[in-house]
Amino acid sequence: RGARPGETVQLGWLILRVCGTPSALDVESLDFRAMASFTRDLTLALHVFEQQMDLLRAFELKEEPCCMWHVGHVSQGYVPGQPEAFIARNGPLEHNDSGWVVGSVAEGMTLDSLMNSEPQSLYEISIADHRMLPFWLLPAGYTVVLHADSHEIIPAGTDVPFIADFEEPRPWWKLW
């Protein structure tokens, strides 16, 4: 069976949509500018895919599946684009929860910050802050600190001073 307009295909983290033209089928991607805004220019989408695959290869990691519609948890202290922000993957994909937490280093990740966090799709988070796009496929336990002009990847099993030590990967599930 062939593809039909409106059907979607997942490529790594990306969701591509099949669309029809007068003479053939084509593919489009979300444009990373607004919700439900698509483009046939796949330059940015393929660049993001390439960055994600390059990062996984560089660290010899296997991707931890998730995609742009999965939920991450954004702390109240985080402001898109701010220096000294972080993303931390507390656990693997479970249901619709990607395991990702987004916050500010100054606020840290505590039970209070998690309890007051707002669930958002990884796509919404990425629209607001493109710096996070290369990192969404990192495995559970990884943290990325986003500085003004650079980033620092902290491997799983490393003590991160601004993240509280939780006994389980998703302590916020008990709070909601």
Side-chain angles (χ1 to χ4, degrees), residues 104-158:
S104 74
V105 171
E107 179 184 35
M109 189 166 75
T110 65
L111 202 52
D112 284 342
S113 69
L114 290 172
M115 192 166 73
N116 295 312
S117 68
E118 177 185 333
Q120 291 183 12
S121 73
L122 297 181
Y123 184 64
E124 285 177 274
I125 297 166
S126 298
I127 289 171
D129 197 336
H130 284 206
R131 297 177 301 167
M132 298 177 188
L133 287 166
F135 308 110
W136 292 133
L137 295 178
L138 286 173
Y142 273 75
T143 300
V144 180
V145 179
L146 302 160
H147 304 291
D149 297 320
S150 64
H151 64 269
E152 174 186 359
I153 298 172
I154 302 170
T158 304

Side-chain angles (χ1 to χ4, degrees), residues 10-15 45 47-57 59-68 70 87-89 91-93 98 100 122 126 131-144 153:
Q10 186 170 344
L11 174 65
W13 180 77
L14 300 168
I15 303 285
H47 179 68
V48 168
F49 178 74
E50 183 178 38
Q51 285 180 311
Q52 291 172 338
M53 294 302 110
D54 287 348
L55 181 69
L56 293 171
R57 272 192 297 276
F59 285 87
E60 298 180 356
L61 298 170
K62 184 177 177 199
E63 89 177 48
E64 184 80 51
C66 71
C67 65
M68 55 181 61
H70 289 127
I87 58 174
R89 194 155 195 192
L93 177 65
S98 69
W100 282 107
L122 297 181
S126 298
R131 297 177 301 167
M132 298 177 188
L133 287 166
F135 308 110
W136 292 133
L137 295 178
L138 286 173
Y142 273 75
T143 300
V144 180
I153 298 172

Side-chain angles (χ1 to χ4, degrees), residues 19-118:
C19 59
T21 65
S23 61
L25 291 177
D26 203 349
V27 177
E28 56 189 7
S29 168
L30 290 163
D31 65 9
F32 301 95
R33 291 189 185 108
M35 292 300 290
S37 178
F38 286 85
T39 180
R40 288 191 184 154
D41 180 357
L42 300 181
T43 305
L44 180 57
L46 293 176
H47 179 68
V48 168
F49 178 74
E50 183 178 38
Q51 285 180 311
Q52 291 172 338
M53 294 302 110
D54 287 348
L55 181 69
L56 293 171
R57 272 192 297 276
F59 285 87
E60 298 180 356
L61 298 170
K62 184 177 177 199
E63 89 177 48
E64 184 80 51
C66 71
C67 65
M68 55 181 61
W69 56 268
H70 289 127
V71 171
H73 301 273
V74 181
S75 76
Q76 289 183 345
Y78 166 74
V79 176
Q82 77 183 71
E84 304 311 307
F86 72 87
I87 58 174
R89 194 155 195 192
N90 276 11
L93 177 65
E94 195 167 316
H95 307 292
N96 193 33
D97 188 316
S98 69
W100 282 107
V101 175
V102 180
S104 74
V105 171
E107 179 184 35
M109 189 166 75
T110 65
L111 202 52
D112 284 342
S113 69
L114 290 172
M115 192 166 73
N116 295 312
S117 68
E118 177 185 333

